Amino acid sequence: MGACWGPVLRVLVVQAAWALCGGQVRYSVSEEAEPGTVVGRLAQDVGLEAGEAEARRLRLVSQGRRASVEVSGASGALVVSSRLDREELCGKSAPCVLRLEVLVERPLRVFHIELEVTDINDNAPIFPAGRKNLSMAESSLPGSRFPLEGASDADIGANAQLSYTLSPNENFRIEEENLKSRSKSLFLVLMKSLDRETMAEHRLVLTASDGGRPSLTGTMELVISVLDANDNAPQFNQSVYKVQVLENAPPGTVFFQLTATDKDEGINGEVYYVLSERVSEKLQDLFIIDRKSGEIRTTAALDFEGVQWYDLEIEARDKGTLPLSGHCSVELEVLDVNDNAPEVRVTSLSVPVPEDASVGTVVALLSVSDRDSGANGRVRCSVWPSSPFGLVSAFAGSYSLVLREALDRERVSEYEVEVRAEDGGSPPLRGRLGVRVPVSDVNDNAPAFAQAVYTVLARENNAAGAELARVWARDPDEAGNGRVSYSVWEGGSGVGVVGGVLLSGGVWRPASSYVSVDAESGRVWALQALDYEEVQVLQFEVRAVDAGEPPLCGNATVQVFVLDENDNAPALLPSAGGGAGVGVDAGGASSLEAASGSLWAWAAWGAPAGQVVAKIRAVDADSGYNAWLRYELLEPRGKSPFRVGLYSGEVSTLRALEEADGPRQRLVIVVRDHGEPSRSATATLSVSLLEGAEAALAAAGSGSGRPGLRPLSGVEGGAESSSSSTNVWLVVAICAVSSLFLLAVVLYGASRWVPRAAVLSGPGPTTLVCASEVGSWSYSQRQSRSLCVADGAGKSDLMVFSPNFPPPPPGPAAKETQPDPSALLDTVSATVFLTLFLSSPLLLTQPLGMRYYEPG
């Protein structure tokens, strides 16, 4: 049971340590461990499940120095990959800790690993030389101490704690002394006075042993020469001097001055200063001491980040025959100055960033370091510009560049982000790193037209394939998301639906039968020639669709106004009587006959000037000025007794008709429009001149439906025939008057008995608002309708109105029983006219001056 709970407890301990250490893992391994030695279960310690190490690409991030460890891909364990030498990695620094970065992908995370390399006793103590020569005056007193250079051990801790032993002898012993310095002082102590004559040279073996298990040793041979005479060595007032100097001190700076005294006199008391032979050549190249003054100066620049401490051994020697020397140690501490700017490095970069990326998305992982120490090495980081990105600190020296605001590629497609680092020195130093962050596009913009409504003017009869307009929609997205294609949008069929036109007769045609839109350029082409008389306004919608996924679209309305061309000549309308030929209306005092393509009209002799003989009726299918008609008398010119109204088409007498004008007048009338170029139609009118009674009877005969009378020759009939004819016609007229009067009374009584509502319930005749003779147009304030002149085509540019009669009751019965008000009024008016005309024989000899206009 205990074996089962052991791994569980270890996991809980590791997790607790992970929480306390802020997510860091620390391992320990001995130096010189064999390659393949497992240092720790890294995958498990960083929270990965079994088998996730290789799937999520657990790996070490190189720090510029060989770490000698690696991650096993299959198990995720941290193993030794090559020889670990603590002395090579850390020197004398203790503890020897390697800081590693572990990178895990999917999702991206960084862990900081500390690997402590523990020391083993693999280095024996080493003396600077295998042999040391010493000179001692025979006058040296017992207890005299001679400094020796101790051995060095590359190990640390107990493995580097040295102890010294001297080979057995009577005169000397070894003494160690620690005067609160960084290193122990080793002295050879004279126990018994020397006698050069007895023994001029002493050979001893000095052994150094470290504290390791097992202990390692090193030896040095001491050759001691006994000198005579000069028995006082120079002395310093301190054995150890502690000095500080800034690392930015220029070469040649004097940072300390030594002073030593010698009690001897003369040449044996003259002292000079030299660097000890124990000082390495590297330090001798870096420092120099003045032999006379004892000033110590630098010869090169110092670097705190390289070495923080220097130990200088100084000798003061006299100039005696057998020179003596005094020794001291100068411990030089290099002080840090802020001479290293922070360094910013990109560990990982995930670009481009989609413009719809959520806030908090990690864009890059950054590593920040500063080689200085203390406040000079404390770094603060920021990002510029301050939006839309920000920095999040994960561990000391590790930052994440994250998204703070929503992106819009159409506003900014790429960001140049600058990460700024500033240390705490005085003055502070700064480091910068530029990071380019492109933004990738998503389809978030629909095509937008430059105009909501495009108004186009197009002349009718344009050629098929002619360009009518060009539409353009802008889509700020890029690539396929911004590639726009155009098409005509068919909204359906029916009146009032965008995308087509309703033709005369209720026929609906889609806009696609008239126009086409180029999918790429947006050019609108005409598929067929436009006819103003068929289509005046063509309205449709153009849809612009991008190629995104899903696609977005925008619409614009195109209104094509067709401009009228003068492509229709005036058309003469049929006469009211239904005869063949062109349209002519007979005047009130004349009659008209159209037979075999000729126009016939009757007029009475002596008709006064201004009497309307006939009226020419014509219509033009065009509109505006192209449909504004004028009537001109083409033949005869000059002496014709007739004139034609310029805009009304009425043929009237120019003067009183005389017998000299002949029995018949042939008039050629031309009808022209105002278009450019003008189009025209021609009508020929034959006017027969009759006596007053004959003209009246001819007009009455024409009104009753029988053919009009041809005029008689003015010379063939005599007075007799004329008189008898007059009497006959007079009897006929009296009978007709009596009958018509009786009929008028009956119809009048019937009209009085018919309810007024029934008469007024019909639609009634349409009241025409015509153009005046000067070409101005009148408009009704009532309901607007299209004008239909007799059987001609509809006119959309003239305005008509109808009386405000109440609507008729529904059902076919009402339609059959109600009389036509217009027919009734026409009958009554004709009856009254004939009654008044024929009631007096005197009227037969009077000129007729009444004018008659058709309704409509």
Side-chain angles (χ1 to χ4, degrees):
M1 190 69 175
C4 296
W5 284 98
V8 177
L9 291 176
R10 281 198 301 271
V11 171
L12 294 176
V13 170
V14 169
Q15 292 180 348
W18 177 269
L20 293 175
C21 297
Q24 293 186 351
V25 180
R26 187 182 183 96
Y27 297 107
S28 177
V29 64
S30 299
E31 65 171 330
E32 304 297 339
E34 293 294 332
T37 301
V38 177
V39 178
R41 295 174 295 179
L42 179 58
Q44 181 179 355
D45 293 340
V46 298
L48 299 182
E49 298 293 337
E52 285 188 343
E54 190 170 6
R56 295 184 59 183
R57 298 187 62 187
L58 178 67
R59 67 180 189 276
L60 290 177
V61 179
S62 175
Q63 296 291 321
R65 181 173 62 178
R66 184 172 59 87
S68 299
V69 292
E70 64 182 8
V71 177
S72 176
S75 64
L78 188 66
V79 298
V80 176
S81 61
S82 60
R83 176 178 176 268
L84 284 169
D85 187 355
R86 191 205 65 79
E87 288 74 26
E88 179 182 353
L89 295 173
C90 302
K92 297 291 289 183
S93 298
C96 181
V97 178
L98 302 180
R99 291 176 175 81
L100 308 174
E101 286 185 1
V102 177
L103 187 64
V104 178
E105 297 184 356
R106 307 189 190 113
L108 186 63
R109 296 184 63 187
V110 177
F111 300 92
H112 291 260
I113 307 299
E114 292 185 355
L115 178 62
E116 180 181 0
V117 182
T118 58
D119 185 50
I120 63 174
N121 192 24
D122 59 340
N123 291 281
I126 299 175
F127 285 94
R131 178 176 176 176
K132 174 67 175 178
N133 294 321
L134 298 176
S135 296
M136 295 184 182
E138 62 176 333
S139 59
S140 298
L141 299 176
S144 298
R145 302 168 61 181
F146 302 93
L148 296 176
E149 183 178 6
S152 60
D153 196 326
D155 297 322
I156 60 173
N159 295 330
Q161 293 180 358
L162 304 180
S163 59
Y164 299 89
T165 57
L166 192 63
S167 57
N169 66 91
E170 296 179 353
N171 300 92
F172 301 94
R173 64 178 177 86
I174 289 296
E175 181 177 314
E176 298 179 38
E177 183 177 350
N178 186 2
L179 300 177
K180 298 181 180 181
S181 63
R182 298 180 69 253
S183 61
K184 294 182 179 181
S185 298
L186 185 64
F187 297 93
L188 182 64
V189 181
L190 181 64
M191 297 186 298
K192 182 180 178 180
S193 298
L194 297 176
D195 186 4
R196 189 188 62 81
E197 289 74 25
T198 302
M199 184 178 290
E201 186 178 84
H202 298 267
R203 292 184 175 270
L204 304 175
V205 176
L206 179 61
T207 302
S209 303
D210 59 24
R213 295 179 181 275
S215 176
L216 300 179
T217 61
T219 60
M220 180 178 66
E221 182 183 13
L222 299 178
V223 178
I224 305 172
S225 299
V226 181
L227 304 177
D228 195 18
N230 188 18
D231 53 358
N232 289 290
Q235 296 292 327
F236 292 96
N237 55 0
Q238 291 180 224
S239 60
V240 177
Y241 296 92
K242 294 185 177 182
V243 183
Q244 294 178 335
V245 63
L246 295 174
E247 66 170 324
N248 62 346
T253 299
V254 177
F255 60 88
F256 195 64
Q257 184 175 7
L258 292 172
T259 300
T261 59
D262 195 322
K263 296 180 179 179
D264 294 329
E265 294 182 353
I267 195 172
N268 292 331
E270 292 183 9
V271 179
Y272 63 94
Y273 305 91
V274 294
L275 293 175
S276 175
E277 295 178 355
R278 291 176 292 178
V279 176
S280 65
E281 293 182 0
K282 182 178 180 180
L283 293 182
Q284 289 181 8
D285 295 336
L286 191 58
F287 302 99
I288 190 173
I289 186 171
D290 189 275
R291 292 173 64 90
K292 291 185 178 181
S293 63
E295 292 179 345
I296 307 176
R297 68 182 69 233
T298 62
T299 59
L302 303 179
D303 186 8
F304 171 84
E305 288 72 35
V307 180
Q308 293 83 37
W309 289 88
Y310 292 97
D311 291 331
L312 302 178
E313 296 291 336
I314 308 299
E315 288 187 8
R317 297 176 182 175
D318 59 26
K319 297 181 179 180
T321 305
L322 298 175
L324 301 177
S325 61
H327 301 79
C328 73
S329 177
V330 177
E331 295 184 355
L332 176 62
E333 179 184 4
V334 181
L335 301 180
D336 182 45
V337 296
N338 193 25
D339 59 345
N340 290 281
E343 296 180 359
V344 184
R345 295 182 293 107
V346 177
T347 304
S348 179
L349 182 63
S350 299
V351 292
V353 181
E355 63 175 322
D356 60 348
S358 60
V359 175
T361 300
V362 177
V363 178
L365 296 178
L366 307 172
S367 176
V368 182
S369 61
D370 193 320
R371 296 179 60 199
D372 295 323
S373 63
N376 297 331
R378 287 194 294 269
V379 181
R380 300 184 302 271
C381 288
S382 63
V383 63
W384 185 90
S386 57
S387 62
F389 300 100
L391 290 178
V392 176
S393 177
F395 302 98
S398 179
Y399 293 88
S400 297
L401 182 65
V402 299
L403 188 62
R404 296 285 193 189
E405 300 175 3
L407 301 177
D408 185 2
R409 191 206 64 82
E410 288 70 40
R411 185 171 60 88
V412 181
S413 61
E414 183 176 279
Y415 290 89
E416 290 291 341
V417 180
E418 185 177 78
V419 180
R420 299 176 175 179
E422 180 179 272
D423 60 26
S426 181
L429 297 180
R430 299 173 179 84
R432 293 180 174 85
L433 177 66
V435 180
R436 176 178 166 270
V437 183
V439 181
S440 59
D441 182 54
V442 297
N443 191 24
D444 57 347
N445 289 278
F449 283 91
Q451 300 174 219
V453 178
Y454 291 84
T455 301
V456 181
L457 302 179
R459 293 190 175 275
E460 66 171 328
N461 302 321
N462 61 306
E467 181 178 343
L468 299 179
R470 180 178 297 183
V471 296
W472 178 74
R474 178 180 179 272
D475 193 325
D477 294 325
E478 65 177 359
N481 295 333
R483 189 167 58 251
V484 179
S485 60
Y486 305 90
S487 62
V488 176
W489 180 58
E490 298 290 354
S493 63
V495 179
V497 180
V498 175
V501 64
L502 185 64
L503 305 179
S504 59
V507 179
W508 174 264
R509 294 190 64 183
S512 59
S513 63
Y514 289 96
V515 295
S516 174
V517 179
D518 187 80
E520 296 184 359
S521 65
R523 294 182 176 181
V524 181
W525 308 97
L527 295 179
Q528 63 182 16
L530 299 177
D531 186 2
Y532 175 84
E533 287 70 39
E534 178 183 308
V535 179
Q536 287 80 42
V537 180
L538 179 61
Q539 179 171 307
F540 57 93
E541 284 196 5
V542 176
R543 171 164 292 182
V545 182
D546 60 28
E549 186 63 37
L552 301 179
C553 65
N555 292 346
T557 300
V558 179
Q559 294 178 340
V560 180
F561 290 88
V562 182
L563 301 180
D564 182 48
E565 292 280 348
N566 192 23
D567 56 348
N568 290 280
L572 296 171
L573 298 179
S575 64
V582 296
V584 180
D585 285 345
S590 64
S591 59
L592 174 69
E593 179 184 14
S596 302
S598 300
L599 300 179
W600 297 88
W602 291 265
W605 295 109
Q611 179 177 344
V612 177
V613 175
K615 182 177 180 180
I616 305 300
R617 304 175 65 192
V619 69
D620 195 318
D622 295 322
S623 66
Y625 272 83
N626 295 331
W628 185 17
L629 304 180
R630 66 180 184 269
Y631 301 83
E632 298 175 4
L633 183 59
L634 188 62
E635 293 179 6
R637 294 182 179 271
K639 297 181 179 182
S640 174
F642 298 98
R643 61 182 293 272
V644 177
L646 182 61
Y647 296 106
S648 64
E650 293 179 346
V651 180
S652 61
T653 57
L654 185 62
R655 56 178 172 79
L657 299 177
E658 301 174 353
E659 292 185 3
D661 294 327
R664 183 183 304 170
Q665 291 284 332
R666 179 178 179 273
L667 306 179
V668 178
I669 301 171
V670 62
V671 184
R672 302 180 187 273
D673 58 26
H674 283 73
E676 289 293 338
S678 177
R679 293 178 179 268
S680 63
T682 304
T684 302
L685 175 64
S686 296
V687 181
S688 297
L689 303 182
L690 304 175
E691 295 294 338
E694 293 179 354
L697 290 176
S702 297
S704 62
R706 63 185 182 87
L709 298 177
R710 291 183 176 271
L712 298 176
S713 172
V715 296
E716 291 178 0
E720 254 184 275
S721 62
S722 175
S723 175
S724 62
S725 177
T726 302
N727 293 331
V728 172
W729 284 112
L730 180 60
V731 173
V732 173
I734 292 172
C735 296
V737 166
S738 301
S739 302
L740 292 175
F741 180 76
L742 180 61
L743 179 62
V745 171
V746 174
L747 292 177
Y748 179 75
S751 64
R752 296 291 292 177
W753 285 99
V754 174
R756 184 173 300 272
V759 174
L760 297 179
S761 64
T766 302
T767 302
L768 171 64
V769 181
C770 298
S772 66
E773 293 188 357
V774 295
S776 62
W777 297 90
S778 299
Y779 295 94
S780 170
Q781 299 299 324
R782 302 190 181 185
Q783 182 179 2
S784 174
R785 298 183 183 176
S786 297
L787 170 64
C788 183
V789 182
D791 298 331
K795 301 296 294 179
S796 61
D797 54 348
L798 299 182
M799 306 299 293
V800 301
F801 67 90
S802 300
N804 291 327
F805 292 154
K815 183 176 181 181
E816 294 175 359
T817 59
Q818 294 175 0
D820 187 0
S822 61
L824 181 61
L825 292 177
D826 289 344
T827 305
V828 173
S829 61
T831 304
V832 173
F833 167 73
L834 291 177
T835 303
L836 293 177
F837 178 76
L838 298 177
S839 62
S840 174
L842 296 177
L843 292 177
L844 295 175
T845 60
Q846 299 297 324
L848 301 178
M850 181 181 291
R851 295 189 181 184
Y852 173 73
Y853 296 93
E854 276 193 0

